Amino acid sequence: MNHHYTFMALRFLCVVMAASCIPSASAMAPDHVQQSFRDKFGDGIQPAWEVDVNGYWEASFDKNGKSIRVDFKDSGKWVETEKNLNFDELPGPVQVAVRKEFADRPISEIEEVNHWNKGHFFDVEFSGPGPNEDVEY
């Protein structure tokens, strides 16, 4: 009976040790990508890193109660910064356009975006039957 508990304790210890050997997503982001992030946002933010569906390094963090995501290419070049917004945080003209063009469509996500090529815009994602639809203002 005593051997059973010893075996269980050793098994638990092995699982904990194996898990500690797995690198965090932050440790996997290349140093030059992390440096590009620090150059843009300073040293005070410790983001969570992952590779997104487009193959970009995505740094995620919260600032002033808002979720922010920043994408970088493997080269370290900044691609875009996205910040989640509520509908009432959209500029008035964008709110009017959304209500006029998509009054019957539920909104699933709103982001303020700064993009290296497209510039500054608002991305409103609508849900409904079929795939979600993104509209940029």
Side-chain angles (χ1 to χ4, degrees):
M1 189 77 141
N2 214 4
H3 294 293
H4 175 71
Y5 292 114
T6 302
F7 174 75
M8 294 301 289
L10 286 172
R11 187 175 173 192
F12 175 76
L13 184 61
C14 287
V15 168
V16 169
M17 289 174 59
S20 69
C21 293
I22 298 171
S24 69
S26 179
M28 292 189 295
D31 290 341
H32 60 278
V33 173
Q34 292 187 39
Q35 184 60 52
S36 292
F37 177 85
R38 286 190 298 275
D39 291 346
K40 193 159 187 64
F41 294 96
D43 290 327
I45 299 171
Q46 298 299 317
W49 288 95
E50 69 178 17
V51 177
D52 70 11
V53 296
N54 299 310
Y56 296 133
W57 284 102
E58 184 175 88
S60 301
F61 59 97
D62 289 338
K63 184 175 181 182
N64 299 327
K66 294 292 178 186
S67 175
I68 299 175
R69 289 161 315 285
V70 187
D71 292 345
F72 295 90
K73 292 184 176 186
D74 275 334
S75 66
K77 180 181 179 194
W78 170 79
V79 177
E80 68 180 358
T81 302
E82 302 170 318
K83 177 173 69 171
N84 284 60
L85 298 178
N86 296 316
F87 185 81
D88 61 350
E89 295 174 296
L90 287 170
V94 175
Q95 290 182 28
V96 169
V98 168
R99 286 187 184 120
K100 181 179 178 182
E101 298 172 36
F102 300 96
D104 59 338
R105 301 277 306 273
I107 296 173
S108 57
E109 184 177 47
I110 301 172
E111 298 170 326
E112 180 177 12
V113 181
N114 287 302
H115 189 272
W116 76 273
N117 187 34
K118 295 180 184 179
H120 180 252
F121 61 93
F122 298 92
D123 182 3
V124 182
E125 182 176 310
F126 298 94
S127 57
N132 288 358
E133 178 182 4
D134 285 285
V135 179
E136 297 176 358
Y137 294 91

